[in-house]
Amino acid sequence: MSGALLKKLWSLILLGALASVLMGGSQALAQTFTLTDNGWTYSEDISQQGLGDFKDTNGTDHMWRNWWWYRTSNMQREVSLSNLVPGAGIELIGTNEARLRFVEQGLFFELTYKLTGISSTLARVDIDWSITSTGPALGVDFFAYSDFDVNGSISNSGMLVNPQTVRFIDNTTAVDVVASEAGLVGYEVGTYSDLLGKLNNNVADNVSNTGLPYGPDDMENIFQWHGTVVSGQQVMQGTLTKLVNLNYNPPPPGPVIPEPGTWALMLSGLAPVALRLRKKA
């Protein structure tokens, strides 16, 4: 990141702090945001670690929580983003886009959410994120937590579409959570609230690339990225996309592969036939 851009970020922080002082410091900072587009709605409550909604055009909610944790090389545990820049932490851009800004222990986080209602059965939220150091070089692990209750149900199935995509499924509705590839460590899937507990405990945890296929049960997912940020020189950045599809067509079941015991029975049945054929010969 250039020195000019870094100065711009700090100017934004200072202006926000000044605005907070001028308001007397008594007015609580906004902690929620809501996006709308083409009949779809997306919202998060920052004070509740991203507790929110992703509602379709019929008002059905498919999401329980989406939020972010980080850990630097000199920290012993993960910490959730919570320290919004005073007066400039949430910037709404039209009705379907919002930019969040946080300052956390020498790091500046910026996340831009954009909701796109593609049709009455398909919508996506794209979240572009970046992390900048305001001090010396730091190793950073960044975590994206998702808990979707597809169709309002806490009994979802899950599958790994590819190393960057985890799918939540309820009948003919699916939600794909897609992580950008650069710096991606991997994923982990579990049952609520096992993974949320890991992120909020007092020890450092990393994803294990396990948990799929899953369910049906109350599914949750984490993606983890790792990188190094250097003040004025190097930035971590990436994207998380959440795609809701109300017309999901499950893949056809694969061929049934007999278990070892079944193979043994089949082979034992073929043995007398082979013996009779030998006698006839």
Side-chain angles (χ1 to χ4, degrees):
M1 175 174 284
S2 67
L5 184 53
L6 192 60
K7 287 180 181 178
K8 181 180 178 182
L9 293 177
W10 275 112
S11 296
L12 186 65
I13 295 169
L14 292 172
L15 284 172
L18 178 60
S20 180
V21 170
L22 291 175
M23 289 188 296
S26 59
Q27 181 174 337
L29 293 174
Q31 293 285 307
T32 63
F33 68 93
T34 299
L35 309 178
T36 59
D37 190 62
N38 201 19
W40 291 78
T41 304
Y42 184 93
S43 66
E44 287 184 11
D45 185 340
I46 296 162
S47 67
Q48 298 294 320
Q49 293 185 332
L51 204 64
D53 302 310
F54 196 159
K55 293 182 179 180
D56 61 32
T57 58
N58 295 316
T60 301
D61 184 17
H62 301 277
M63 188 180 79
W64 175 251
R65 174 178 270 120
N66 171 84
W67 202 239
W68 311 86
W69 278 254
Y70 73 97
R71 185 183 71 237
T72 68
S73 51
N74 56 14
M75 294 168 60
Q76 302 302 313
R77 53 161 296 183
E78 295 77 47
V79 175
S80 65
L81 295 186
S82 60
N83 295 311
L84 284 166
V85 173
I90 301 178
E91 176 189 359
L92 294 178
I93 307 167
T95 60
N96 71 325
E97 194 169 347
R99 185 166 294 129
L100 311 184
R101 301 180 179 94
F102 299 85
V103 176
E104 310 274 355
Q105 302 191 41
L107 297 173
F108 181 85
F109 295 81
E110 185 169 274
L111 303 98
T112 302
Y113 290 66
K114 184 175 182 179
L115 169 65
T116 304
I118 301 168
S119 70
S120 62
T121 61
L122 194 65
R124 62 188 292 162
V125 170
D126 296 289
I127 308 168
D128 296 325
W129 56 266
S130 65
I131 307 172
T132 307
S133 173
T134 56
L138 277 175
V140 178
D141 286 277
F142 195 45
F143 302 82
Y145 174 88
S146 300
D147 183 345
F148 278 88
D149 294 339
V150 183
N151 284 331
S153 169
I154 61 171
S155 184
N156 296 162
S157 299
M159 63 179 290
L160 186 67
V161 179
N162 57 54
Q164 297 169 242
T165 306
V166 169
R167 178 171 292 163
F168 293 69
I169 306 166
D170 182 70
N171 296 316
T172 58
T173 300
V175 178
D176 284 357
V177 183
V178 186
S180 54
E181 185 176 6
L184 185 65
V185 175
Y187 74 92
E188 187 169 347
V189 166
T191 300
Y192 179 80
S193 58
D194 293 343
L195 299 185
L196 188 62
K198 282 186 177 182
L199 290 169
N200 284 323
N201 65 18
N202 291 318
V203 297
D205 292 289
N206 296 298
V207 297
S208 60
N209 290 305
T210 59
L212 292 171
Y214 176 90
D217 207 335
D218 194 355
M219 177 176 159
E220 57 182 352
N221 170 65
I222 300 173
F223 278 112
Q224 177 182 354
W225 295 267
H226 178 79
T228 301
V229 292
V230 181
S231 179
Q233 300 178 41
Q234 191 167 334
V235 179
M236 269 183 75
Q237 57 189 6
T239 301
L240 189 75
T241 296
K242 299 169 183 288
L243 179 69
V244 178
N245 181 4
L246 305 184
N247 283 337
Y248 170 67
N249 294 313
V256 177
I257 301 174
E259 295 183 359
T262 305
W263 277 115
L265 287 173
M266 291 170 62
L267 292 174
S268 65
L270 289 174
V273 176
L275 183 60
R276 284 198 298 271
L277 289 174
R278 286 184 61 189
K279 286 182 178 179
K280 286 183 179 181

